[in-house]
Amino acid sequence: MTGAAQQAVLDAHYMARALELARRGHYTTHPNPRVGCVIVRDGQVVGEGWHVRAGEPHAEVHALRAAGELARGATAYVTLEPCSHHGRTPPCADALVNAGVARVVAAMQDPNPEVAGRGLQRLAQAGIACESGVLEGEARALNPGFLKRMEHGLPFVRVKLAMSLDGRTAMESGESQWITGPAARSAVQRLRAQASVVLTGADTVLADNARLTVRADELGLDAQQTALAMSRPPLRVLVDGRLRVPLDAAFFKAGPALVATCMAVEEQYANGPECLRVPGDDGQVDLHQLLVALAARGVNEVLVEAGPRLAGAFARQGLVDEFQLFIAGKFLGSSARPLLDWPLARMKDAPELKITEIRAVGDDWRVIAVPVSPASV
Amino acid sequence: MTGAAQQAVLDAHYMARALELARRGHYTTHPNPRVGCVIVRDGQVVGEGWHVRAGEPHAEVHALRAAGELARGATAYVTLEPCSHHGRTPPCADALVNAGVARVVAAMQDPNPEVAGRGLQRLAQAGIACESGVLEGEARALNPGFLKRMEHGLPFVRVKLAMSLDGRTAMESGESQWITGPAARSAVQRLRAQASVVLTGADTVLADNARLTVRADELGLDAQQTALAMSRPPLRVLVDGRLRVPLDAAFFKAGPALVATCMAVEEQYANGPECLRVPGDDGQVDLHQLLVALAARGVNEVLVEAGPRLAGAFARQGLVDEFQLFIAGKFLGSSARPLLDWPLARMKDAPELKITEIRAVGDDWRVIAVPVSPASV
């Protein structure tokens, strides 16, 4: 192997470790991205760090602190381009320069318009050797929400649905409890915990008395990750165009929530939860506008847990980035409720999806499917 | 390892080879079971055989012929107890005795009431050491239809359905062509080829002009297996209680077929295809009676390829042993046709299935699901 090829293998190796560290922030970094950093000198890891929470030090700072004087002349591996701007913490590019690091390898450029290459530029200007693009695909997969928000001004929207093998979510009567088993419910708890926002509709809250909270004992995580997840629960957002859900609903009693509505708030929720007024026709909240507003608040990932009507509206409007379908080994039959309210007349109108993963979750199965081209009907 | 443990490992090894040979008869042995045989002497395989077609020599005979004089004192591994009765060929138990075999290891007893232990008994009486139960699970899985017919007087019923991710089989208009891709269609061709009977209903033949034939170029098998499969195509059975399908339908022109009907045959099909009169209410063929009649004709495996009505009827009546669901990555929407016509009111009535396998087939996925307890509604 040539020296350059060897260096590429080593770079990938240390970047993989930095990605592993970044994943520890799975439940807590939002609105910031998940980032990990490894500092290597003479073939030895001398410092590691990961970003825990917005407002706290970035991954690079943790790693530099751990390395101390050993950072001088070392290589820093970072899963995202070091920042060049003063946010709630000073720029990491400066910290790397001050520590005397000789080389910086980033997995990807930061699409944040306040950075966007300027972090690496700053480093290069200080005489530090810079590279970007090592394990970039993995690094992008780590932060789908942050990237989508920076690149498109929208959060990443994940729709979770629990269905039977024949594609039904509830009986005609609405009866729907326990379609899937405990392992699937635990997986859903983790999906909630990783999201910035868990979003539902008035139908679900009224029919199922849903609270959509994260419950520590159902997460199925170790003590440290559970504590992290519980320290930063997602914001629960209720889409309720006409303010049909009463203030004494379990949903509101379970903690802070945001209500997205078309109505003037004073009418009903004067002393109630925070309300976000969103335009809409016929008392139906404009979902695209809502997502834009959430992104503006720093929301990276939205988990939609709603009935066929609201989930169907997100799907019909091409607003879904990923479906997570939990499939139970049963038939609910031909009179049961559909997966999504989305009537289609012609086969050519049927939206295509790429199934990216199918995996057993307890006695159930999880299908991850991604729209091939966003439908815009 | 003790000598006995070592012998057990060797026995499993040679039986695995015998099973591999038996699988070569996947498309041809019906109404007989798929059987393979290996003859081993002094740690050397001296003969191998598998059953090709009813009326032709059994696996043991092929293997003994290959072994010749070397069979004397050898061990014969057979995936099914050697037969003890004169069928279209003389009993294999006698052939093994005459060849001077010292030991016979069978994977399982033959449930055929004409054998049922008498083959092994015959061997033991001749002083041959006998064993049964080596890799029995695998041997049973090889012949689900033969075993079900022998044990319950019914064929093994496999229902194939092609559906979208939201559990739909066609648009409301009936439009349904090409839900799944070429790899899935090829897998369906192999399911047809391995079946004794491919069964469909008048709705499917009338709506889709379906022929349900096996097409050599779509099997995706090598030349030898393709030739074998084409040499013994399945019988195509049309369930048409009221004889609605006209004689000039492509289905009838495509080759021999059997029509299961409640009507007196003379009325319509006087010079047409073979008809089987089956009782039924309201012109609906009694499906259980039909299966009993097919089993009596030696039908081991039935592949049901029908619309939601007929497939739903098999499901509702608890007559399905296995569902093969080919799932395409698309949504057909909430007005599209259901997987099965099977209205259910309460969650507690929802039939449970065990998903035994999910596997990618080209761009589509195949789910194999087995009813947990046969529904009998």
Side-chain angles (χ1 to χ4, degrees), chain A residues 11 14 48 59 93 109 127 131 134 152 167 179 230 244 275 340:
Chain A
D11 286 350
Y14 292 120
E48 293 189 337
Q109 276 203 15
E131 262 173 81
V134 174
H152 302 286
I179 289 185
M230 298 308 291
R244 290 186 290 142
C275 283
L340 300 168

Side-chain angles (χ1 to χ4, degrees), chain A residues 31-268:
Chain A
N32 287 353
R34 300 155 186 135
V35 183
C37 177
V38 172
I39 296 177
V40 177
R41 177 160 143 175
D42 302 331
Q44 296 289 324
V45 173
V46 295
E48 293 189 337
W50 52 282
H51 184 48
V52 184
R53 266 181 214 89
E56 298 183 11
H58 289 185
E60 298 92 322
V61 173
H62 282 301
L64 286 172
R65 280 184 195 163
E69 265 311 299
L70 294 172
R72 200 156 297 279
T75 298
Y77 294 90
V78 207
T79 58
L80 187 70
E81 177 186 5
C83 63
S84 53
H85 64 302
H86 279 269
R88 283 195 263 181
T89 59
C92 291
D94 292 356
L96 289 161
V97 170
N98 295 338
V101 162
R103 181 170 174 248
V104 171
V105 181
M108 61 177 293
Q109 276 203 15
D110 188 343
N112 184 342
E114 297 194 71
V115 186
R118 280 192 286 274
L120 291 171
Q121 210 172 18
R122 167 91 188 76
L123 294 167
Q125 279 161 358
I128 295 175
C130 289
E131 262 173 81
S132 181
V134 174
L135 300 189
E136 179 160 357
E138 288 78 352
R140 290 191 66 89
L142 201 60
N143 290 303
F146 176 77
L147 297 181
K148 187 158 181 220
R149 181 161 68 88
M150 289 300 154
E151 291 168 356
H152 302 286
L154 286 169
F156 183 90
V157 177
R158 194 173 268 132
V159 171
K160 168 253 152 182
L161 293 157
M163 68 182 225
S164 57
L165 252 181
D166 53 346
R168 308 293 175 145
T169 54
M171 308 312 281
E172 198 174 12
S173 66
E175 186 189 357
S176 72
Q177 289 288 291
W178 315 119
I179 289 185
T180 48
R185 288 199 298 274
S186 179
V188 171
Q189 284 285 318
R190 293 191 291 278
L191 286 178
R192 286 183 188 171
Q194 81 174 77
S196 309
V197 154
V198 175
L199 185 150
T200 191
D203 286 348
T204 300
V205 169
L206 289 171
D208 302 343
N209 209 19
R211 298 183 306 144
L212 300 173
T213 48
V214 175
R215 294 180 288 276
D217 58 334
E218 292 183 26
L219 278 168
L221 297 171
D222 65 25
Q224 192 197 11
Q225 286 289 303
T226 300
L228 283 167
M230 298 308 291
S231 76
R232 197 142 173 64
L235 177 64
R236 296 170 310 125
V237 172
L238 172 67
V239 177
D240 189 2
R242 294 195 172 89
L243 296 181
R244 290 186 290 142
V245 176
L247 281 179
D248 61 355
F251 182 83
F252 290 128
K253 291 184 179 158
L258 176 68
V259 180
T261 182
C262 306
M263 291 180 71
V265 172
E266 307 80 65
E267 293 177 23
Q268 209 165 328

Side-chain angles (χ1 to χ4, degrees), chain A residues 161 163 165-173 175-179 315 323 325 327-358 363-365 367 369 372, chain B residues 161 163 165-173 175-179 315 323 325 327-358 363-365 367 369 372:
Chain A
L161 293 157
M163 68 182 225
L165 252 181
D166 53 346
R168 308 293 175 145
T169 54
M171 308 312 281
E172 198 174 12
S173 66
E175 186 189 357
S176 72
Q177 289 288 291
W178 315 119
I179 289 185
F323 289 93
L325 308 176
I327 303 186
K330 58 184 72 160
F331 290 145
L332 295 190
S334 45
S335 57
R337 293 193 180 172
L339 185 66
L340 300 168
D341 274 348
W342 190 355
L344 293 163
R346 304 276 299 273
M347 190 74 96
K348 70 174 175 51
D349 301 327
E352 296 221 15
L353 298 112
K354 175 150 185 60
I355 296 175
T356 58
E357 185 183 307
I358 299 195
D363 289 335
D364 306 308
W365 292 74
V367 174
V372 168
Chain B
L161 293 157
M163 69 182 224
L165 251 181
D166 53 345
R168 308 294 176 144
T169 54
M171 308 312 282
E172 198 173 11
S173 65
E175 185 188 357
S176 72
Q177 289 288 293
W178 315 116
I179 289 186
F323 290 93
L325 308 176
I327 304 186
K330 57 183 73 159
F331 290 145
L332 295 191
S334 44
S335 58
R337 292 192 181 174
L339 184 68
L340 301 168
D341 274 347
W342 191 354
L344 292 164
R346 306 276 299 273
M347 189 75 95
K348 70 174 175 52
D349 301 327
E352 298 221 14
L353 298 111
K354 176 150 184 60
I355 296 174
T356 57
E357 186 181 305
I358 299 194
D363 290 334
D364 305 307
W365 292 74
V367 174
V372 169

